[in-house]
């Protein structure tokens, strides 16, 4: 974890890396709390808190924290909260305690005068001498997080889908969400918010309602949405074997693109031959156990 | 007595004729509605455009299936986009196979015994695509280069 003290206006801010022990301690203090987004600042001169940044794509998720967030300072009150869930916000007291404690981890990144100044500001805030603006409680939608993201892509198993009983009545959406409904599932149908237009935004929103979201929370499988503009949608699912599978309509599930190349390695749903499905909408996360209809 | 026998005979004859007439009517109804569905196999997410095969077209399909050269290898599996035209006959009616897919010059027939592949030498695919155009699917076929 990298800590950046947000204090200067012209010069680069002091920045240092927490050792493993300190990183664990900070994680334990902050886990399960709604935290401020990194850009939540009133822009005032002087000490504006710390920005905490994870160094790897799995460090933040393993810790159950956002990849980047702000701690301490005179914050306008924007909170990072998971979509649909309410986490308790980090209390002012806990925030100030953590802010003071971080001064002990600086390891020479800032001189003693600067540290004394910041200590004074933080203690003044703690004593109520520097009143923080009231928290507005406005929720920021992105990045959303709830439970730590755990990617659980399963092994490629076309035999399940390519039988006379299953194949004709389960489509690409069934396959990508890994749920056999025998209804030729449609995004949004199970949640009562079916898509109304064949665009990335509209079909993506419908899938959102079903539970397939653009951010990862909990145990999830990786999927991708593509669109034949104005005509149709198609989905892919990532497998633990390292490649992507898909099921074009009522035809057989396969792991190859329109040029019969395995969709793996450098070849992804974003750049493989998708025929008329020219719009790549991006990757999404389908919770393990998600149902469709 | 003879008069009674005559009455009984005529009554029985009328009954037999009446029952057969009813059967003929049902048979005619079956002939009018074969319940074979034709699908333009183009979509992945949404249901494919489809229509019912007219009774008057059954013979045309059957004639285009007769005497086709058999292929020894399976055709390449089509991907996203145009995947041919499929005739679905799950009840096995009107003397047609359970399923007929015609794509890229190959006719694949599915019957209870399995799949067989033939060369489309009698223009079944083009004939079905013409039907699709007549039924308002010309634009999508144009988008797919058909």
């Amino acid at each position: 974890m990298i800590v950046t003290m947000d204090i200067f206006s012209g010069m680069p801010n002091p920045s240092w890396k927490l050792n493993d022990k300190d990183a664990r301690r900070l994680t334990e203090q902050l886990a399960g709390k709604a935290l401020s987004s990194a850009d939540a600042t009133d822009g005032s001169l002087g000490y504006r808190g710390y920005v905490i940044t994870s160094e790897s794509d799995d460090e933040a998720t393993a810790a159950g924290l956002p990849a980047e967030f702000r701690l301490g300072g005179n914050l306008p009150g924007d909170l990072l909260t998971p979509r649909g869930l309410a986490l308790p916000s980090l209390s002012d007291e806990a925030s100030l305690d953590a802010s003071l404690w971080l001064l002990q981890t600086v390891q020479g990144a800032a001189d003693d005068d600067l540290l004394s100044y910041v200590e004074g500001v933080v203690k003044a805030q703690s004593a109520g001498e520097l009143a923080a603006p009231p928290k507005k409680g406005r929720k920021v939608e992105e990045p959303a997080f709830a439970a730590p993201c755990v990617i659980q892509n399963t092994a490629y198993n076309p035999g399940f889908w390519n039988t006379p009983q299953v194949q004709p009545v389960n489509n690409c959406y069934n396959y990508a969400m890994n749920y056999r409904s025998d209804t030729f599932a449609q995004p949004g149908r199970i949640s009562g918010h079916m898509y109304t237009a064949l665009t990335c935004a509209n079909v993506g929103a419908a899938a959102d309602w079903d539970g397939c979201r653009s951010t990862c929370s909990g145990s999830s499988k990786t999927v991708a949405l593509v669109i034949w503009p104005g005509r149709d949608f198609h989905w892919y699912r990532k497998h633990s074997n390292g490649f992507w599978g898909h099921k074009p309509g009522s035809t057989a599930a396969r792991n190859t693109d329109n040029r019969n190349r395995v969709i793996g390695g450098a070849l992804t749903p974003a750049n493989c031959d998708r025929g008329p499905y020219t719009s790549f909408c991006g990757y999404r996360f389908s919770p393990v156990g998600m149902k469709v209809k | 007595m003879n008069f009674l026998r005559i009455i009984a005979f005529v009554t029985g004859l009328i009954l037999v004729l009446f029952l057969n007439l009813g059967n003929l009517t049902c048979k005619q109804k079956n002939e009018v509605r074969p319940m074979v569905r034709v699908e333009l196999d183009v979509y992945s997410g949404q249901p494919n455009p489809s229509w019912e095969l007219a009774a008057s077209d059954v013979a045309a399909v059957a004639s285009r299936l007769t005497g086709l050269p058999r292929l020894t290898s399976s055709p390449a599996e089509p991907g996203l986009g145009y995947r041919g035209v499929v005739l679905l006959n799950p009840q096995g009616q009107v003397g047609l196979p359970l399923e007929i897919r015609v794509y890229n010059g190959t006719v694949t027939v599915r019957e209870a015994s399995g799949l067989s592949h033939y060369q489309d030498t009698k223009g079944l695919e083009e004939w079905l695509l013409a039907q699709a155009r007549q039924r308002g699917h010309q634009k999508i076929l144009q988008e797919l280069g058909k």
Side-chain angles (χ1 to χ4, degrees), chain A residues 20-125:
Chain A
D20 289 348
K21 182 181 161 195
D22 288 339
R24 271 197 302 275
R25 176 174 166 166
L26 186 65
T27 299
E28 282 162 17
Q29 282 184 299
L30 304 180
K33 299 288 190 293
L35 300 166
S36 294
S37 64
D39 59 358
T41 176
D42 59 2
S44 57
L45 290 175
Y47 170 72
R48 295 178 290 275
Y50 304 91
V51 174
I52 315 296
T53 310
S54 296
E55 287 185 275
S56 59
D57 60 4
D58 59 351
E59 182 182 21
T61 54
L65 301 176
E68 189 170 77
F69 59 93
R70 182 174 290 267
L71 182 70
N74 220 15
L75 303 171
D78 287 334
L79 296 173
L80 289 169
T81 56
R83 191 175 295 171
L85 287 177
L87 287 184
S89 58
L90 188 69
S91 68
D92 289 342
E93 184 181 4
S95 175
L96 292 168
D97 281 349
S99 299
L100 279 173
W101 171 76
L102 279 171
L103 291 174
Q104 301 174 33
T105 68
V106 173
Q107 300 162 25
D111 60 29
D112 289 346
D113 286 344
L114 190 65
L115 296 180
S116 295
Y117 160 74
V118 172
E119 186 180 0
V121 170
V122 174
K123 283 182 174 175
Q125 284 180 345

Side-chain angles (χ1 to χ4, degrees), chain A residues 171-172 184 186 195 198 228 231-234 236 247-249 251 254 258 274 277, chain B residues 39 41-48 77-81 83 101 139-140 143-144:
Chain A
N171 63 358
C172 57
F184 223 72
Q186 301 294 300
Y195 63 93
L198 286 155
W228 175 355
R231 287 282 182 201
D232 195 28
F233 59 87
H234 184 60
Y236 297 82
K247 187 178 184 300
T251 65
R254 78 281 304 271
N258 270 24
R274 305 187 301 264
Y277 296 79
Chain B
E39 271 194 16
D41 193 4
V42 293
Y43 290 151
S44 174
Q46 296 197 97
N48 285 319
E77 186 134 35
L80 293 171
R83 289 185 294 274
R101 176 184 292 272
K139 197 169 175 200
I140 191 172
E143 285 182 36
L144 293 168

